[in-house]
Amino acid sequence: ATDYAYIGSYGGQDSYGYQTDYPPQEEDAASDATEGHDEEDQMYEGEYQGIPHPDEVKAARRAARAKARTVADGVSDQEELAEQYEDIMEDCGHGKFQWTLFVVLGLALMADSVECFVVALVLPSAEKDMCLSHAEKGMLGLIVFLGMMFGAFIWGGLADKVGRRKCLIIVLAMNCISAFFSSFAQGYGFFLFFRLFSGIGIGGSVPIVYSYFSEFLQMDKRGEHLSWLCMFWMMGGIYASSIAWGIIPRYGWGFSMGTEFQFHSWRVFVLVCALPAIAAFVGLLFMPESPRFLLENAKHDEAWMILKQVHDTNWRAKGEPERVFTVTQIKTPKTQEDEFIEIQTATGTAFQRWVVRTLTLTKLVMKNVLSLFGHDLRLATLLMAIIWFTMAFSFYGLSVWFPDMIKHLQHEEYESKLKVFHREKVEQFHFNFSLENQVHKEGEYINDKYTDKNMKSVKFEDSLFVDCFFENIRSTETIFENCTIRSTVFYDTDLYEEKFIDCTFENVTFLHNKKGCHLDYEEENDVLVYLVSFLGCLAVLPGNIISALFMDKIGRIKIIGGSMLISAGCTFFLFLSFSQAAIIAWQCLFCGVSVAAWNGIQVITVELYPASKRATAFGVLNAICKLAAILGSSIFASFVGITKVIPILLSFGALVGGGVLALKLPETRKKVLL
């Protein structure tokens, strides 16, 4: 149980809550502040229009909350602290401090968004350098979300015990370090490890960012400004896809040191992707800890100083530096953290202290996690877990399915143009032109030359090659199957053994073969990969703006439920037409509508849980979100080229189920943060 006590140590005035003359001003300072301002001459400019003064609105809100407390059977100490903290944030106002923090935390959110896109954008190029199989490519995409799942759980829990700011600095540092090392990692194993490490780090940013920012916002600003913060996730996607488009196709942007060390343009892109995390890390060094977290951990003096800093920064920027921070003491909980500190300092060696601290911290975090399923929070946690899961399952599943279907349609269109040559006989001919998208069956090629050419998607089947000469050949998806090859020379080609299936060789010579698995891939990057990502992110802009403007007007529940149900309806448009352009259009529509649900989910997650459990709950739910993303992307991708009915029905069912359950949640827009 947590006990609350009033703690105050400023000027010996422990018995006062708000004092209009505290701290006392010197006479000169007071006269300077009021010089030329006769109170009788002061007139609020909105008074002529009948607009109430902001101070009157603030007083009315406080009176309404006080009346609600007196009507209630009893008000807990936690609710009393929440009410007082809300009053303090109203006095501090919303201004320069919040907007500065908004930008810093927004950059941290951008870093999380970029991490979700970076592997998908570099994979077409990275697979050339690292000789990746299909299984390895799948693991690389999976490992990032796996890391983010564990990161959200771990850092969300730690943020409620160690501090929001401290944990966020650590996760951003982890992301920056791993981005640097992964860009230079030459082997698949090292690259995979650093992307996992990066995911574990940056996965904790989302739970911390929303918990951190919400604790500097007053009730009437909270929904709108948390929704504006969500726009940085969109900006991260736009940033990643646009710089990928600008950097990765530039093959000259790199260098090599022999054959062992290659630093191509996609590695430059990985480095540049760390810039939002670096900027957020630097900005966060100048930001204070959340005062609400400090109060929950009985650090009254530090919380008071930060709240005063927020108050003075805002009113100074508004041209009212004479405004005085009038809080003398704040209701502060006495928790069991004192015992935790004593255990650390009483232990002998540094290693023993570290072990005891780690075990104690783990125990406290797990206790906090289990408390989410206690009697008072069990229903809310269960509902939120289902809503997070269904939303992420559909969103991330379709996010993978859309581009995969576009590639499948492109492949089908390409195959429809296939040229088949049957029983052709070519003698003493010089093939000095490229061959593409062809099948040659039962052909005879005698004394022919194939020089300085590319072969793309070419298959020779049951064919005979006699006295032929292949020189400087570069091939992509080219194979020889069940062919007989006699007295033939392959000089400076990339036609190695794997490209000859069940073939018979008689007096065949291979000289100076080109080596490297990357030779079996095209060098050209399909700009459609970047374009689809860019348009999908840009499409959420209208939904972001609308949800931010109406979050506090119509409420979180209607935003979430309405957005999820409308998104479910959007999935049925996929049955109407199925061209590449149509898929891109439906993707943009789906992303634009569903983003409102994401914004509402993140806002209400912050508001449903008390300060001591806020980041922990957000971390657990965000971990469930990443698990759903892994399952959704894997399941939906498996149906590409097989059927479109099952992915559409799965996403529709998940969105409808989540949307209906969302309507069962309590509305929190007029609720102070506990």
Side-chain angles (χ1 to χ4, degrees):
T2 303
D3 299 322
Y4 289 79
Y6 285 99
I7 300 176
S9 57
Y10 297 95
Q13 303 192 27
D14 294 348
S15 59
Y16 295 89
Y18 287 85
Q19 294 290 325
T20 55
D21 59 348
Y22 179 82
Q25 293 183 339
E26 296 180 4
E27 290 185 8
D28 292 341
S31 61
D32 289 342
T34 57
E35 185 177 355
H37 295 271
D38 190 343
E39 289 185 5
E40 294 181 0
D41 295 336
Q42 296 263 349
M43 182 69 71
Y44 170 55
E45 59 181 337
E47 188 172 333
Y48 293 111
Q49 290 82 29
I51 302 173
H53 193 281
D55 289 341
E56 295 176 11
V57 176
K58 190 189 305 180
R61 279 201 299 261
R62 290 182 180 176
R65 291 200 296 268
K67 184 178 180 181
R69 288 199 299 270
T70 57
V71 172
D73 294 336
V75 178
S76 67
D77 289 334
Q78 188 179 54
E79 291 172 331
E80 195 173 339
L81 169 62
E83 294 284 354
Q84 187 184 12
Y85 191 81
E86 177 66 26
D87 292 345
I88 294 171
M89 292 313 302
E90 286 181 352
D91 284 343
C92 291
H94 188 93
K96 180 181 177 181
F97 181 90
Q98 280 85 356
W99 285 114
T100 304
L101 185 63
F102 173 81
V103 173
V104 173
L105 297 181
L107 289 169
L109 204 57
M110 270 185 72
D112 177 87
S113 174
V114 168
E115 188 67 25
C116 293
F117 286 93
V118 65
V119 170
L121 294 171
V122 304
L123 207 51
S125 299
E127 65 177 340
K128 305 173 188 177
D129 283 359
M130 297 185 181
C131 309
L132 303 183
S133 65
H134 288 294
E136 288 172 332
K137 287 189 290 183
M139 177 56 71
L140 194 54
L142 172 71
I143 203 72
V144 174
F145 281 99
L146 200 62
M148 295 175 83
M149 181 179 74
F150 286 109
F153 181 87
I154 294 167
W155 294 109
L158 289 174
D160 278 333
K161 296 301 176 185
V162 178
R164 281 85 161 103
R165 175 179 175 271
K166 184 183 293 185
C167 286
L168 190 54
I169 287 175
I170 294 172
V171 303
L172 291 171
M174 288 177 66
N175 182 248
C176 296
I177 292 168
S178 58
F180 176 81
F181 283 109
S182 65
S183 68
F184 286 93
Q186 297 297 300
Y188 171 73
F190 282 112
F191 188 76
L192 190 71
F193 170 77
F194 287 122
R195 294 325 299 179
L196 172 65
F197 189 72
S198 177
I200 292 174
I202 203 63
S205 63
V206 173
I208 300 172
V209 161
Y210 284 99
S211 301
Y212 190 11
F213 191 50
S214 68
E215 291 167 353
F216 284 97
L217 297 173
Q218 57 200 68
M219 183 174 62
D220 60 329
K221 303 282 186 183
R222 198 168 57 229
E224 178 184 351
H225 287 272
L226 285 173
S227 298
W228 289 127
L229 187 67
C230 296
M231 290 188 68
F232 279 93
W233 208 92
M234 170 202 73
M235 292 168 62
I238 293 174
Y239 172 79
S241 53
S242 57
I243 64 171
W245 200 342
I247 292 176
I248 294 178
R250 308 296 191 271
Y251 294 102
W253 292 16
F255 61 90
S256 61
M257 297 172 63
T259 58
E260 298 299 322
F261 185 86
Q262 305 286 334
F263 195 89
H264 294 142
S265 55
W266 68 268
R267 297 181 183 275
V268 178
F269 166 71
V270 173
L271 273 180
V272 175
C273 281
L275 290 180
I278 294 171
F281 176 84
V282 173
L284 208 58
L285 296 177
F286 300 94
M287 292 290 108
E289 180 57 85
S290 162
R292 186 60 189 274
F293 165 79
L294 295 172
L295 290 173
E296 290 292 331
N297 289 272
K299 297 179 180 178
H300 174 276
D301 293 0
E302 292 178 51
W304 188 91
M305 292 299 294
I306 292 169
L307 289 168
K308 184 178 186 303
Q309 176 190 348
V310 175
H311 176 279
D312 294 348
T313 300
N314 286 341
W315 290 111
R316 196 180 300 115
K318 293 177 181 179
E320 299 183 47
E322 70 277 3
R323 286 234 189 184
V324 178
F325 186 59
T326 56
V327 179
T328 58
Q329 80 279 326
I330 309 169
K331 195 172 186 64
T332 309
K334 288 181 179 179
T335 66
Q336 301 299 319
E337 302 301 319
D338 291 339
E339 178 186 349
F340 176 53
I341 296 169
E342 289 171 8
I343 291 172
Q344 297 176 55
T345 54
T347 309
T349 66
F351 177 74
Q352 288 174 321
R353 286 197 298 272
W354 178 82
V355 170
V356 172
R357 177 181 174 82
T358 303
L359 292 175
T360 308
L361 196 55
T362 303
K363 181 180 176 182
L364 291 171
V365 169
M366 293 309 299
K367 183 179 178 182
N368 224 17
V369 171
L370 292 175
S371 69
L372 301 177
F373 301 93
H375 176 71
D376 53 338
L377 295 173
R378 186 185 303 136
L379 180 60
T381 301
L382 181 62
L383 288 175
M384 288 305 301
I386 296 172
I387 293 166
W388 271 93
F389 186 91
T390 54
M391 187 67 208
F393 181 81
S394 301
F395 180 84
Y396 286 102
L398 289 176
S399 295
V400 170
W401 188 71
F402 282 130
D404 280 357
M405 279 306 305
I406 291 173
K407 290 179 184 177
H408 176 69
L409 291 177
Q410 287 178 327
H411 183 67
E412 283 188 335
E413 183 181 356
Y414 186 76
E415 285 192 332
S416 68
K417 299 176 182 178
L418 178 69
K419 296 178 182 179
V420 180
F421 300 88
H422 193 70
R423 291 185 177 178
E424 62 177 349
K425 187 173 182 179
V426 182
E427 294 186 50
Q428 295 184 346
F429 187 79
H430 187 189
F431 291 87
N432 58 357
F433 51 87
S434 294
L435 302 179
E436 182 176 354
N437 201 19
Q438 300 177 4
V439 174
H440 299 263
K441 294 184 177 182
E442 300 180 10
E444 293 184 12
Y445 307 93
I446 301 172
N447 201 19
D448 295 326
K449 286 187 177 182
Y450 302 80
T451 59
D452 303 319
K453 60 183 291 186
N454 292 328
M455 292 183 178
K456 179 182 178 183
S457 300
V458 178
K459 181 179 181 181
F460 292 96
E461 187 176 342
D462 300 315
S463 298
L464 173 66
F465 294 85
V466 179
D467 292 325
C468 293
F469 183 75
F470 292 79
E471 181 181 11
N472 192 24
I473 302 298
R474 186 176 182 87
S475 64
T476 301
E477 297 178 353
T478 296
I479 60 172
F480 296 76
E481 185 174 348
N482 200 28
C483 295
T484 300
I485 305 172
R486 298 173 185 162
S487 303
T488 296
V489 176
F490 294 89
Y491 182 85
D492 192 26
T493 73
D494 63 0
L495 300 172
Y496 44 86
E497 291 182 4
E498 286 77 4
K499 298 196 175 186
F500 296 92
I501 303 172
D502 297 327
C503 292
T504 301
F505 295 97
E506 299 176 10
N507 194 26
V508 176
T509 305
F510 290 89
L511 296 173
H512 303 290
N513 265 19
K514 295 177 181 178
K515 296 180 180 179
C517 57
H518 63 282
L519 297 171
D520 195 35
Y521 296 91
E522 292 181 272
E523 281 197 353
E524 301 159 355
N525 277 277
D526 190 353
V527 295
L528 195 62
V529 175
Y530 314 127
L531 181 62
V532 169
S533 297
F534 180 84
L535 292 177
C537 293
L538 191 62
V540 308
L541 180 61
N544 256 320
I545 294 173
I546 292 171
S547 63
L549 294 177
F550 288 94
M551 189 66 70
D552 286 320
K553 292 181 174 61
I554 67 176
R556 290 78 162 121
I557 305 308
K558 292 178 181 177
I559 289 281
I560 299 170
S563 174
M564 291 185 75
L565 293 174
I566 295 172
S567 298
C570 290
T571 60
F572 269 90
F573 284 119
L574 291 170
F575 284 116
L576 301 180
S577 61
F578 216 63
S579 64
Q580 293 182 41
I583 289 179
I584 294 174
W586 302 143
Q587 179 190 16
C588 292
L589 178 63
F590 176 79
C591 292
V593 173
S594 62
V595 70
W598 277 121
N599 292 0
I601 289 170
Q602 287 159 344
V603 171
I604 201 170
T605 301
V606 164
E607 296 173 333
L608 278 175
Y609 296 92
S612 60
K613 300 176 177 62
R614 184 168 295 125
T616 301
F618 209 124
V620 170
L621 294 171
N622 200 249
I624 292 172
C625 165
K626 295 302 185 288
L627 175 62
I630 293 170
L631 294 175
S633 57
S634 302
I635 293 171
F636 280 51
S638 66
F639 289 103
V640 173
I642 299 174
T643 177
K644 64 180 180 181
V645 175
I646 294 178
I648 292 173
L649 292 179
L650 282 175
S651 58
F652 176 81
L655 288 167
V656 169
V660 171
L661 283 178
L663 300 176
K664 303 290 185 182
L665 288 170
E667 182 56 70
T668 55
R669 60 175 165 157
K670 294 182 179 179
K671 178 183 174 184
V672 296
L673 279 182
L674 291 177

